[in-house]
Amino acid sequence: MTLALASILSPTHAANEVVPLWPTGTKGIDPSISEATVFGVCINNIHYPTLTVFRPETPNGTAVVICPGGGYAVLSIEREGQAVARRLNADGITAFVLKYRLPRTPDADFLDPVPVSDALRAIQWVRSNAGDFGIDPARIGILGFSAGGHLAASAGTRYSQAREFGGDDLSKVSARPDFVGLVYPVVSSDPAIRHGCFATLLPSNSPQSALDALSPEKLVTADTPPMFLVHAKNDKGVVPENSEVLHKALERVGVPSEIHLYEQGGHGFGLGAPEQDCSQWPDAFVAWLSRL
């Protein structure tokens, strides 16, 4: 990063600082509208996308932007966000929990590409400010859960669109994640395995071709970043074939991909209960990162 760009984009950051992603006045951004708490543990009505910074005691140079799930209707901000950030901190990974805009937000036009614009902007912000956090700008990835997994996979396959979403210096920074982690992700537009939240990204009655254009397994290329996929075989909410079709698509183009299919966990297990085999995924993810 040039000195001039650093002076614009690198303020002093405090631990667990909440960082706004877009400049004041950006269309669709309104910090005066408060988010809402749902079910006591989730949030929605997000009009002000942010990153919350979780610093490890000893950074190892790797950073992960975390996208909580919630069916593109809410964000499971603690179970699939903050708890995961603290777990990654234990292994020296600097974590950034993303609050992204949701297409089901009432009285707002947050359909695609609004959510992915927030995810790509988050990667650009972390890369621009890597020096402030002891992060290697070539070791910045994104990790998503359920619908947040779709968002993370979209960031890994649609990163070239990032320049379309802003007009400032930050919008010129590379938005390509160096790796992608997906935990019980929504992936495919195939009606046989498609999750219901997939279609909420588009206007009602959109044709299959429009859905296919948002299906990450159809968008992979040889330049897609490596991906790590996790699913429980007994997941009835988002069937594991979503991870399997993406894994196979990555293999076909020669992109490194590792998939873990666990016997237990169902859907929405987060870090996983200790007695379930799905709880092994965080250690497997960190080990995979060390091998990249």
Side-chain angles (χ1 to χ4, degrees):
M1 182 168 62
T2 67
L3 183 60
L5 186 58
S7 66
I8 296 171
L9 302 176
S10 300
T12 301
H13 308 297
N16 290 343
E17 179 186 1
V18 177
V19 179
L21 287 179
W22 299 96
T24 301
T26 301
K27 181 181 178 181
I29 302 298
D30 190 344
S32 70
I33 300 177
S34 299
E35 64 193 35
T37 300
V38 186
F39 312 125
V41 292
C42 298
I43 60 171
N44 65 6
N45 201 45
I46 298 159
H47 292 257
Y48 193 51
T50 63
L51 286 173
T52 302
V53 185
F54 288 76
R55 296 177 186 252
E57 290 187 10
T58 306
N60 66 7
T62 298
V64 175
V65 173
I66 301 172
C67 304
Y72 279 129
V74 300
L75 298 185
S76 180
I77 199 70
E78 167 57 29
R79 185 180 183 86
E80 296 173 350
Q82 297 166 5
V84 177
R86 292 189 290 268
R87 171 63 184 80
L88 295 179
N89 282 174
D91 279 294
I93 297 169
T94 306
F96 301 82
V97 177
L98 174 63
K99 291 182 180 178
Y100 56 93
R101 287 170 289 176
L102 299 162
R104 292 185 180 180
T105 303
D107 302 318
D109 182 14
F110 292 161
L111 301 181
D112 181 81
V114 169
V116 75
S117 74
D118 292 342
L120 294 174
R121 180 82 172 185
I123 294 167
Q124 291 172 315
W125 190 92
V126 174
R127 183 161 283 127
S128 297
N129 294 280
D132 293 347
F133 299 96
I135 294 167
D136 182 341
R139 292 171 61 187
I140 297 169
I142 190 166
L143 172 67
F145 297 75
S146 193
H150 179 266
L151 183 61
S154 298
T157 52
R158 298 170 60 188
Y159 54 85
S160 63
Q161 292 182 239
R163 288 176 177 263
E164 303 172 12
F165 303 135
D168 57 0
D169 287 320
L170 188 58
S171 68
K172 302 173 185 176
V173 176
S174 171
R176 181 185 183 274
D178 297 300
F179 57 87
V180 178
L182 306 173
V183 185
Y184 41 85
V186 173
V187 171
S188 184
S189 61
D190 181 345
I193 62 174
R194 185 175 70 218
H195 187 269
C197 77
F198 196 105
T200 66
L201 288 163
L202 295 170
S204 58
N205 301 315
S206 292
Q208 183 65 36
S209 60
L211 294 169
D212 291 346
L214 305 186
S215 195
E217 86 278 15
K218 301 180 187 299
L219 305 177
V220 298
T221 70
D223 295 323
T224 299
M227 295 195 181
F228 177 91
L229 299 106
V230 174
H231 234 109
K233 294 179 182 178
N234 64 346
D235 191 335
K236 305 301 183 185
V238 178
V239 293
E241 286 85 354
N242 278 267
S243 286
E244 293 174 321
V245 296
L246 181 53
H247 175 61
K248 291 174 182 176
L250 293 162
E251 285 189 320
R252 282 194 293 270
V253 296
V255 172
S257 175
E258 184 169 305
I259 187 168
H260 292 255
L261 298 175
Y262 295 107
E263 297 295 331
Q264 303 164 315
H267 190 71
F269 52 75
L271 293 172
E275 68 275 9
Q276 295 178 325
D277 61 346
C278 63
S279 64
Q280 299 168 16
W281 82 260
D283 287 338
F285 177 59
V286 171
W288 177 75
L289 289 177
S290 71
R291 296 193 296 271
L292 283 180

